[in-house]
């Protein structure tokens, strides 16, 4: 990774390390020392970019919001349509966006800013589904199905044919 003169690469590396630690073990192991070690920067280097753990949380949430806005655009423009896109991406692909979502959900247990960020993301996806269907109840139902698919996948509980079953039922309801 090339280091840009504005320090953005180092800043992103620190945020990546912070998210990875949150995903692996939650906030208790994501200490400033652990983040600095994982990001391979000195603690002073970390503090240059983020004067506190709270500042890292703010930056992580800002980055996730940006990724979420990009995802809403992809959802709207998806060749397979917004519903299929939403359901097909309701799994942990290992992407930076998924890592940020999971890390934020860990922080959200104790942090209202993280809960608000997750709500903002959900509202963005819901708006696309509601516009597509013209029916808030159906849009919310599909969103809850996507939430369930994501939960099952990220907790290791997913049935290998879950998405096939969802598609089958939505096809029968003429909702896909």
């Amino acid at each position: 990774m090339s280091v840009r003169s504005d320090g953005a690469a180092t800043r992103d590396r620190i945020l990546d390390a912070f998210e990875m630690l949150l995903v692996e073990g939650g906030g208790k192991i994501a200490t400033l020392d652990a983040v600095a070690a994982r990001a391979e920067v000195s603690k002073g280097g970390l503090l240059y970019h983020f004067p506190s753990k709270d500042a890292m949380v703010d930056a992580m949430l800002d980055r996730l919001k940006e990724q979420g806005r990009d995802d809403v655009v992809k959802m709207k423009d998806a060749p397979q349509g917004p519903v299929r896109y939403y359901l097909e991406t309701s799994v942990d692909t290992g992407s930076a966006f998924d890592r940020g979502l999971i890390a934020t959900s860990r922080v959200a247990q104790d942090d209202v800013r993280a809960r608000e960020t997750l709500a903002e993301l959900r509202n963005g996806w819901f708006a696309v589904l509601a516009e597509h269907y013209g029916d808030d109840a159906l849009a919310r139902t599909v969103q809850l199905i996507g939430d369930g698919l994501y939960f099952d996948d990220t907790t290791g509980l997913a049935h290998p044919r879950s998405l096939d079953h969802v598609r089958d039922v939505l096809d029968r309801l003429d909702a896909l």
Side-chain angles (χ1 to χ4, degrees), residues 65-86:
K65 288 177 191 177
E66 183 179 327
Q67 292 167 330
R69 286 187 292 271
D70 291 345
D71 193 57
V72 165
V73 170
K74 289 177 189 172
M75 186 177 170
K76 286 180 182 179
D77 297 339
Q80 71 271 44
V83 176
R84 284 186 186 270
Y85 175 87
Y86 180 74

Side-chain angles (χ1 to χ4, degrees), residues 86-95 98 146 149-150 153-154 158 163:
Y86 180 74
L87 294 172
E88 289 168 2
T89 60
S90 290
V91 294
D92 179 7
T93 63
S95 70
D98 284 318
L149 289 169
Y150 199 77
D153 189 63
T154 59
L163 187 55

Side-chain angles (χ1 to χ4, degrees), residues 95-118:
S95 70
F97 185 40
D98 284 318
R99 185 185 62 234
L101 280 170
I102 296 166
T104 299
S105 70
R106 300 283 167 98
V107 174
Q109 295 169 2
D110 302 312
D111 191 309
V112 69
R113 296 167 301 167
R115 287 191 298 274
E116 289 170 351
T117 297
L118 292 173

